[in-house]
Amino acid sequence: MSYETLLVEQRGAVTLIQLNRPQALNALSSTVMKELIDAFAKFEADDSQGAAVLTGAGEKAFAAGADIGEMADKPATEFFAQAFFDGWQKGIASVVRKPWIAAVNGFALGGGCELAMMADMIIASEKAKFGQPEIKLGVAPGMGGTQRLTRAIGKAKAMDLCLTGRMMDAVEAEKSGLVARILPAEGFVDAVVAIATEIAGMPRLAALLNKEMVNVAFETTLEQGLLYERRTWGILAATEDKAEGMKAFVEKRPAVWKGK
Ligand code: CO8
């Protein structure tokens, strides 16, 4: 299926999704949301695909936020009646089980920063800029910014960014714990796809469960989380890939994964 606001391609076992409204700095309209939900659902359903990369088309932006033009005249009651922002969480963040990376190539502001934070990791180009400038529009982050950013970088920095609306560069974002790695702008997307390819080549069930186990840390007490980890480890211990992985190590040869 071709999309109005996205470019989607498969590079081996990696689905590369590009937000493709560069003239509006890839602002997140409701069409972008619907199309992204569809693209992620197809990625999830396709057994040949093991990881995804989301990035922004054009030189300047990952996404400069929710589409302000679309929101400017919308009455508050309509945001509520249409469950305007719900799809981001219910259609993407909560449902994508395979690993995916946000490759932040430029501005990731407002909803753009929030979308990046839904990914399993953020890899930033040296040109990336992050911020939650919604206060300057008279509002606040609406798709996770106050919650995910605070969990990722702590109260001091999250308050600073939300209350001043200032941007932080890639180096500050990495130091703060928002970003996993910074890569050169030259060849950036190819380099992130190479990392995603490495992840896609991991035993599939182990990848799904490593992701799930880390995410559980944000939802539980330590005691419950540790119990969850031990129980889930038990599931992995029963897989054919566990038997193969350990056998291959002992035999000093590469493992051949079956995904079961
Ligand atoms: N929405 C719609 N259009 C946008 C957006 C946006 N968020 N950001 C930029 N654009 C458009 C501009 O209007 C402009 O269009 P045109 O050429 O037709 O005038 C084009 O993109 C280029 O932008 P600029 O000329 O402004 O480019 P600059 O390089 O001068 O500035 C900035 C770049 C600093 C990124 C600037 O564009 C900017 O400040 N953008 C707005 C950033 C912002 O406030 N984002 C937060 C939006 S609110 C939000 O995300 C709420 C989240 C709550 C839930 C989200 C659900 C998705």
Side-chain angles (χ1 to χ4, degrees):
M1 171 181 171
S2 70
Y3 297 105
E4 189 186 320
T5 65
L6 305 178
L7 295 171
V8 181
E9 62 182 286
Q10 292 187 349
R11 293 205 189 165
V14 173
T15 300
L16 174 63
I17 306 172
Q18 286 181 274
L19 303 165
N20 188 31
R21 301 181 71 208
Q23 70 292 351
L25 302 186
N26 301 321
L28 304 171
S29 62
S30 37
T31 304
V32 174
M33 182 181 81
K34 284 186 199 115
E35 293 190 343
L36 261 186
I37 291 171
D38 186 78
F40 272 113
K42 291 197 164 74
F43 157 66
E44 271 293 280
D46 186 340
D47 284 344
S48 74
Q49 298 298 286
V53 172
L54 178 66
T55 192
E59 296 290 301
K60 281 178 73 172
F62 174 77
D67 191 314
I68 298 169
E70 194 179 16
M71 296 186 297
D73 295 327
K74 194 180 275 296
T77 46
E78 263 185 46
F79 284 104
F80 179 71
Q82 296 169 352
F84 193 69
F85 296 137
D86 286 22
W88 296 101
Q89 181 64 27
K90 293 181 182 165
I92 300 171
S94 302
V95 297
V96 182
R97 297 171 75 212
K98 294 177 189 170
W100 64 284
I101 301 173
V104 175
N105 51 313
F107 293 116
L109 303 177
C113 186
E114 296 171 298
L115 176 59
M117 289 189 290
M118 290 178 194
D120 300 308
M121 67 171 121
I122 299 176
I123 297 184
S125 129
E126 57 203 355
K127 290 189 180 161
K129 292 229 187 303
F130 299 85
Q132 299 289 164
E134 289 93 337
I135 193 166
K136 294 180 178 171
L137 300 169
V139 289
M143 51 184 266
T146 59
Q147 305 304 300
R148 287 199 177 91
L149 190 66
T150 307
R151 281 168 168 78
I153 68 177
K155 176 177 169 179
K157 285 264 180 202
M159 279 292 187
D160 180 4
L161 291 173
C162 290
L163 290 178
T164 68
R166 77 172 176 90
M167 294 185 212
M168 80 181 164
D169 64 15
V171 171
E172 185 181 357
E174 192 197 25
K175 274 193 198 151
S176 307
L178 183 63
V179 156
R181 305 187 205 182
I182 303 174
L183 299 176
E186 183 76 31
F188 174 65
V189 171
D190 290 343
V192 180
V193 169
I195 294 166
T197 301
E198 194 184 326
I199 294 169
M202 296 294 173
R204 181 70 53 85
L205 294 179
L208 297 185
L209 286 175
N210 270 272
K211 165 173 172 159
E212 195 174 293
M213 288 154 86
V214 172
N215 282 332
V216 162
F218 293 95
E219 308 288 346
T220 56
T221 62
L222 180 60
E223 199 63 43
Q224 286 297 312
L226 291 170
L227 179 62
Y228 184 85
E229 185 183 79
R230 290 195 298 277
R231 296 290 179 266
T232 311
W233 200 97
I235 295 174
L236 288 171
T239 62
E240 291 183 30
D241 281 341
K242 173 262 176 189
E244 164 64 6
M246 295 200 180
K247 191 161 179 270
F249 179 85
V250 172
E251 293 172 359
K252 301 190 189 301
R253 60 169 175 83
V256 180
W257 306 122
K258 290 188 179 160
K260 49 187 181 171

